Amino acid sequence: MSIPKPNFTPQANPQSIIEIPHYRYTLLTERLIRIETSPTHHYQNHPTQTIWHRDLPTPTFTHTLENNTLTIDTPHLHLIQKINPQNPTRPNIAITLKQTNHTFTYDQGLNNTLHNQTNLRGTARTLDNTTGPIPLEEGLLAQTGWTILNDSHTLIFDQTGWLTPRNTPPENLDLYFFGYAQDYTACLQDYLKLTGPVPLLPRWALGNWWSRYWPYTQQELLTLMQTFQTHQVPLTVCIIDMDWHITQTNNQSTGWTGYTWNPTLFPNPDQFLSELKTTLGLRTALNLHPAEGVHPHEQAYPEFAKQMDIDPNTQTPIPFNITDKTFTQAYLSLLHHPLEKQGIDFWWLDWQQGTQTDLQNLDPLYWLNHLHFYDLARDGQKRPFIFSRWGGLGSHRHPIGFSGDTTVTWQSLAFQPHFTATAANVAYSWWSHDIGGHMGGIEEPELFTRWVQFGVFSPIFRLHSTNLKFHERRPFAYDPTTAQITSNAMRLRHTLIPYLYTMSHLNHTQGLVLVRPMYHTHPHHPFAYQAPQQYTFGTELLAAPFTSKKHPETDLTRQPIWFPQGTWFNFFTGEPLHSPGGWHVTYGDLTQTPIYAKAGAIIPLDHDASWGLRNTPEHLTLKIFPGASNEFNLYEDDGFTNAYLDGVSALTPITQVWAAAIESTPEQTTLTIHPAQGQTQLLPHQRTFTLQLHALNTPAQLTLTQNGAPIPAPTATYDPITHRLTLTVVATPQDTTTLTLQAPAGQTLIAAPTPKIEQLDRLLHHLRFDTWKKQLLHDRFADLDTDPALIAHIRDFLTFPQLLALLELKTDFFPFKPNEDPEQALFFLAKQIGLI
């Protein structure tokens, strides 16, 4: 067996390199410069732990060296280095961003400012034992527009793909200057060119996962999976936690490390794995804690000991040493490959035992992640996939992330949207959280429900908890209301897989992360930096899941959301919201999750929330929202092999062309499902599309064509309450299917928002106070704008939270973030209507 080796292209184009005494500059892009210093002129051309690809096209630049001053100019950057002949190895560098005129300066010893105080942060190794926010590592983005990636002390890959020391002088610097101003997307895309793309996930990883630290027997676990199936709560993955292996070792091992099936719990692992995969259609992983090495109780111990030149009869424990090639080869081939042959699909590397190895500067977590990921791809066919903690920059290359053992608290849940989105700042796309929380805290149905709702709109949905009988993660084990809401949420997750899989493809090909902070798409708006509880969810959606407890006096959860300018639509109801660019306060009961579609959004869903997984569903639902032109390219392939790297995949373009009314031309929209491109044999011979067009007034005209010829329109149903038009069409991958809707003369296609009085009635049903007074508010609602005395009157019987909810209902948008100080919001509202 050989250690797997990725494809590296570490040598930069010689035309991109400027070398002067003690310095080497490599122009990687017009906004990305490698800066190396060396007193011995010994520079590094190998791939490093982080940087793999420097062979990028030479950008446009000029340079001069006059009077001990080096000047480098690109269309975006102006670099000046002053060279001190008496101390030539001491950097004195200034780089100005031409777009913003901001200057970065570096003078070693006097002004060593590689750290940017406006850095927008990245992610962290783990959330183990945390409750609420924790410090995050530096990321690649900063509001002042520059960041430094210091690669001076990482290890390098040798010709065999093994990590070795750099063997360069310790005072050498190896820096990468990113000068992208607020073009955050371009910065991350170029970083991925330098480090390698995010791999495409297996399609099954995007469904619902079950996991629990619990000593299940194989029959108990199979029965549990069948119970999920009986309740029609779909799953794609079943994780087997650490009790799968022997834990009572009767030797020096504590039992946390293990590679031999526990015969008491799993008497027939072959049959168990076959039923799990073949009968139930689930993928599976085993939990690993490899830190304690290999002990004599393991079935593989005798052969392992021989390979390590240890007499098996001595029963000598073999210490874990992932820096030793002999150990690593035996570790993979003897301990893991047999289990993979039995049916294990991937590994949960639950590593948490230190950061040091025998090789200086090597964190074992990084190396374990790397080796396991590429080892799983050793046959060239299987799409590799691991489940582990963040191992530092470059970890995006071996998804996915296990965020760790959080406490069961509202504070833990509230931090996870921010934590997940900020990881995009280091291109780390696929965090998996313990949905429901891991341990401790107070279990309550509302918290579980909100965690599940967030999980649906997070990268990876995985239920999990620790080995305590008082934690419950089975949705159907809760009260009927909680069971219904959470089960429906998990069904929704499975319908979202076509959308999510397309986003994984965009992540792989274009570097666009599924969950991104708002400032990625709106970098010049200050409010975008003040919205940690919300994020973009793919190209079409804005998500702001409720993560706080409902107020007892309103029976609702309150959340301010920043909406960029434009029209937004409730993903579930289609209700439009026309934003001037400001904060809108939304209130919701336990059934509601604040998810919004942008104008023109096209969202493909699996029509059925099926158990297991269908790679290319025969029936899709397209959720269409009006108001803008848009294109969505639905990506599909076989879902689990590397054939996609050879182009074995298909794209189905879906477009919406929105035409606003001009003079006598009525407003109209045209939706087209175009012929599939690529390997269409992957797709169903015929596919049914259910078209759901939201937020529409009744169209005056509806036409449907296929391949340019009119076809009889199927029965279209229009719901005047939800303003949703629904119809179904059937098409082959080669067909062009076009639907055109036209508004009645002088009218718009977009339905009006729900009248305020209806919104008020929904609110009043939840507020807890006298029903006679509720009727008064309903009858006098319109007078609130003109009769301040009415406000004074209702203040006598409404609590502060109730009054705030009422007045925020009347005000669609705020010019400030109202959750910073609810009293300020109330003052603003009262002033708006003349109360003060």
Side-chain angles (χ1 to χ4, degrees):
M1 171 206 163
S2 61
I3 301 300
K5 178 186 174 184
N7 293 320
F8 300 122
T9 55
Q11 182 61 57
N13 189 326
Q15 297 179 350
S16 302
I17 296 174
I18 302 166
E19 189 167 348
I20 63 175
H22 308 296
Y23 296 89
R24 186 171 75 166
Y25 291 89
T26 305
L27 280 295
L28 295 161
T29 77
E30 293 177 351
R31 294 181 279 188
L32 173 55
I33 302 176
R34 185 187 190 192
I35 305 170
E36 296 172 276
T37 71
S38 175
T40 61
H41 294 187
H42 186 175
Y43 300 113
Q44 185 55 255
N45 295 317
H46 287 81
T48 72
Q49 287 176 265
T50 306
I51 309 300
W52 288 8
H53 308 287
R54 304 186 193 97
D55 187 15
L56 304 178
T58 298
T60 300
F61 73 94
T62 61
H63 73 284
T64 60
L65 179 59
E66 297 177 351
N67 301 321
N68 290 322
T69 300
L70 172 68
T71 301
I72 301 175
D73 263 299
T74 80
H76 294 276
L77 303 177
H78 178 68
L79 181 148
I80 296 177
Q81 181 191 347
K82 301 288 187 181
I83 302 170
N84 183 346
Q86 282 71 46
N87 192 0
T89 62
R90 175 167 151 180
N92 186 346
I93 299 168
I95 307 177
T96 299
L97 280 63
K98 294 181 179 180
Q99 180 180 342
T100 63
N101 206 35
H102 183 89
T103 299
F104 155 81
T105 59
Y106 182 71
D107 183 352
Q108 189 180 44
L110 292 179
N111 187 24
N112 189 342
T113 55
L114 296 182
H115 301 285
N116 190 328
Q117 296 304 309
T118 69
N119 191 284
L120 292 164
R121 316 310 296 174
T123 192
R125 186 183 186 102
T126 183
L127 295 177
D128 277 352
N129 301 305
T130 63
T131 297
I134 64 169
L136 301 177
E137 299 171 16
E138 287 192 348
L140 298 167
L141 311 178
Q143 286 185 265
T144 50
W146 66 266
T147 52
I148 298 286
L149 190 163
N150 188 346
D151 201 41
S152 304
H153 304 294
T154 57
L155 303 173
I156 62 172
F157 287 91
D158 64 18
Q159 295 301 315
T160 69
W162 195 255
L163 284 177
T164 63
R166 284 179 175 245
N167 294 324
T168 53
E171 60 268 31
N172 274 26
L173 287 176
D174 190 357
L175 311 176
Y176 291 80
F177 177 86
F178 291 78
Y180 285 80
Q182 276 67 55
D183 194 347
Y184 299 144
T185 298
C187 177
L188 293 168
Q189 288 174 332
D190 285 351
Y191 168 73
L192 291 171
K193 293 175 186 176
L194 194 65
T195 58
V198 180
L200 180 66
L201 296 190
R203 191 180 177 100
W204 47 260
L206 298 167
N208 298 320
W209 298 25
W210 171 260
S211 175
R212 189 184 183 191
Y213 176 24
W214 191 261
Y216 290 111
T217 67
Q218 66 181 59
Q219 190 54 52
E220 286 172 340
L221 198 47
L222 288 170
T223 300
L224 176 60
M225 296 299 96
Q226 292 161 354
T227 305
F228 267 89
Q229 195 170 29
T230 300
H231 284 85
Q232 298 182 330
V233 179
L235 298 173
T236 58
V237 175
C238 175
I239 298 283
I240 310 169
D241 213 312
M242 64 166 286
D243 287 289
W244 71 270
H245 62 72
I246 295 171
T247 57
Q248 301 299 318
T249 65
N250 299 315
N251 57 36
Q252 297 177 34
S253 171
T254 66
W256 278 93
T257 297
Y259 306 98
T260 304
W261 287 98
N262 183 334
T264 302
L265 300 180
F266 295 91
N268 193 336
D270 289 319
Q271 178 187 358
F272 165 69
L273 292 174
S274 176
E275 288 192 44
L276 204 62
K277 179 171 287 188
T278 305
T279 305
L280 291 168
L282 300 176
R283 305 287 177 153
T284 191
L286 297 178
N287 178 279
L288 296 178
H289 296 86
E292 290 188 316
V294 184
H295 286 256
H297 69 278
E298 304 286 5
Q299 288 182 352
Y301 174 82
E303 182 62 27
F304 204 119
K306 291 177 183 178
Q307 292 206 20
M308 298 299 294
D309 290 329
I310 296 173
D311 181 357
N313 294 320
T314 66
Q315 301 285 286
T316 303
I318 304 167
F320 176 82
N321 186 0
I322 202 68
T323 65
D324 181 288
K325 282 188 178 182
T326 302
F327 175 91
T328 301
Q329 289 174 338
Y331 169 81
L332 293 171
S333 63
L334 298 179
L335 301 181
H336 296 85
H337 293 178
L339 291 165
E340 291 169 21
K341 188 176 181 180
Q342 278 186 298
I344 299 306
D345 296 287
F346 65 106
W347 300 100
W348 178 6
L349 295 163
D350 199 0
W351 177 267
Q352 50 189 341
Q353 289 84 15
T355 60
Q356 303 298 319
T357 63
D358 290 347
L359 183 57
Q360 188 176 0
N361 293 331
L362 178 62
D363 186 327
L365 176 62
Y366 171 94
W367 198 219
L368 276 166
N369 291 349
H370 174 94
L371 291 171
H372 272 285
F373 185 85
Y374 287 96
D375 181 63
L376 280 171
R378 63 189 178 274
D379 66 357
Q381 296 298 314
K382 182 174 181 178
R383 194 179 304 180
F385 180 80
I386 64 167
F387 181 35
S388 184
R389 286 172 167 83
W390 159 258
L393 288 175
S395 292
H396 66 273
R397 293 184 297 246
H398 29 74
I400 62 171
F402 165 51
S403 68
D405 300 342
T406 54
T407 55
V408 181
T409 64
W410 285 99
Q411 294 92 329
S412 294
L413 171 59
F415 181 56
Q416 288 187 357
H418 174 66
F419 179 83
T420 308
T422 307
N425 296 345
V426 287
Y428 199 61
S429 314
W430 300 104
W431 271 122
S432 171
H433 302 295
D434 288 5
I435 298 303
H438 183 74
M439 59 191 177
I442 298 174
E443 289 279 341
E444 50 185 317
E446 183 187 4
L447 176 57
F448 177 67
T449 300
R450 293 306 192 196
W451 223 314
V452 166
Q453 290 167 339
F454 161 69
V456 171
F457 292 94
S458 70
I460 302 294
F461 183 100
R462 178 180 53 86
L463 297 167
H464 189 61
S465 67
T466 194
N467 188 0
L468 291 175
K469 68 182 297 182
F470 301 103
H471 291 300
E472 181 58 76
R473 296 294 173 265
R474 298 168 298 166
F476 41 82
Y478 280 85
D479 62 90
T481 298
T482 302
Q484 181 180 25
I485 295 171
T486 54
S487 296
N488 285 341
M490 292 180 66
R491 295 180 190 113
L492 171 62
R493 174 70 185 201
H494 270 224
T495 68
L496 282 164
I497 288 175
Y499 177 74
L500 294 169
Y501 197 55
T502 299
M503 293 304 112
S504 179
H505 179 250
L506 283 178
N507 188 210
H508 170 65
T509 57
Q510 299 182 28
L512 300 179
V513 177
L514 172 69
V515 172
R516 295 200 286 169
M518 296 301 295
Y519 50 76
H520 276 220
T521 51
H522 296 82
H524 301 295
H525 202 298
F527 285 156
Y529 299 86
Q530 302 174 31
Q533 293 302 112
Q534 63 185 85
Y535 47 88
T536 59
F537 191 69
T539 57
E540 312 297 293
L541 298 174
L542 184 160
F546 289 125
T547 57
S548 60
K549 199 169 185 176
K550 67 182 180 181
H551 199 285
E553 294 172 10
T554 63
D555 197 36
L556 297 168
T557 303
R558 173 183 181 269
Q559 182 142 292
I561 304 172
W562 177 65
F563 286 93
Q565 186 175 8
T567 301
W568 298 85
F569 300 88
N570 185 298
F571 172 77
F572 299 99
T573 68
E575 184 173 351
L577 190 64
H578 304 292
S579 172
W583 294 89
H584 174 82
V585 180
T586 186
Y587 286 80
D589 63 26
L590 201 57
T591 67
Q592 296 168 313
T593 307
I595 308 295
Y596 297 87
K598 70 180 184 181
I602 301 169
I603 303 159
L605 306 174
D606 192 330
H607 188 74
D608 301 306
S610 60
W611 176 267
L613 183 65
R614 293 179 303 221
N615 284 327
T616 53
E618 294 184 357
H619 192 170
L620 292 174
T621 293
L622 302 181
K623 287 177 75 73
I624 312 298
F625 295 86
S629 296
N630 189 25
E631 179 174 1
F632 189 96
N633 291 296
L634 175 65
Y635 175 82
E636 296 171 283
D637 59 21
D638 67 16
F640 60 93
T641 75
N642 274 330
Y644 76 96
L645 294 172
D646 297 321
V648 183
S649 60
L651 282 176
T652 303
I654 306 165
T655 61
Q656 179 174 196
V657 178
W658 180 263
I662 302 175
E663 297 180 353
S664 60
T665 304
E667 190 170 76
Q668 73 172 31
T669 188
T670 301
L671 177 73
T672 303
I673 304 169
H674 297 269
Q677 304 167 3
Q679 304 297 312
T680 58
Q681 74 275 8
L682 293 168
L683 306 180
H685 176 65
Q686 278 194 328
R687 177 171 269 171
T688 300
F689 293 91
T690 294
L691 310 179
Q692 292 183 354
L693 296 104
H694 293 269
L696 292 179
N697 287 315
T698 307
Q701 184 177 327
L702 182 156
T703 59
L704 188 65
T705 65
Q706 207 156 65
N707 304 319
I711 61 173
T715 301
T717 60
Y718 178 76
D719 187 331
I721 297 176
T722 62
H723 302 288
R724 186 175 73 186
L725 179 72
T726 304
L727 66 154
T728 299
V729 297
V730 177
T732 71
Q734 293 75 35
D735 287 333
T736 299
T737 305
T738 301
L739 171 68
T740 301
L741 303 176
Q742 185 172 293
Q747 297 185 28
T748 178
L749 271 176
I750 301 179
T754 303
K756 286 289 186 182
I757 190 65
E758 293 184 24
Q759 297 180 43
L760 171 70
D761 288 348
R762 291 195 305 229
L763 175 64
L764 291 178
H765 276 295
H766 287 277
L767 301 186
R768 294 176 57 83
F769 63 92
D770 184 78
T771 53
W772 287 108
K773 292 182 172 61
K774 288 186 179 183
Q775 188 67 45
L776 168 69
L777 276 175
H778 172 87
D779 295 340
R780 299 285 309 279
F781 184 61
D783 298 333
L784 287 176
D785 292 328
T786 57
D787 187 0
L790 179 59
I791 291 286
H793 174 57
I794 64 176
R795 271 190 105 160
D796 292 338
F797 59 81
L798 289 182
T799 65
F800 175 83
Q802 293 171 340
L803 181 60
L804 183 64
L806 176 66
L807 296 183
E808 286 180 333
L809 173 69
K810 289 195 62 65
T811 304
D812 283 330
F813 288 94
F814 291 82
F816 57 85
K817 187 177 181 181
N819 71 325
E820 300 292 348
D821 184 0
E823 290 280 0
Q824 180 191 19
L826 188 60
F827 177 84
F828 172 81
L829 293 164
K831 190 172 182 180
Q832 289 290 98
I833 64 173
L835 178 61
I836 56 176

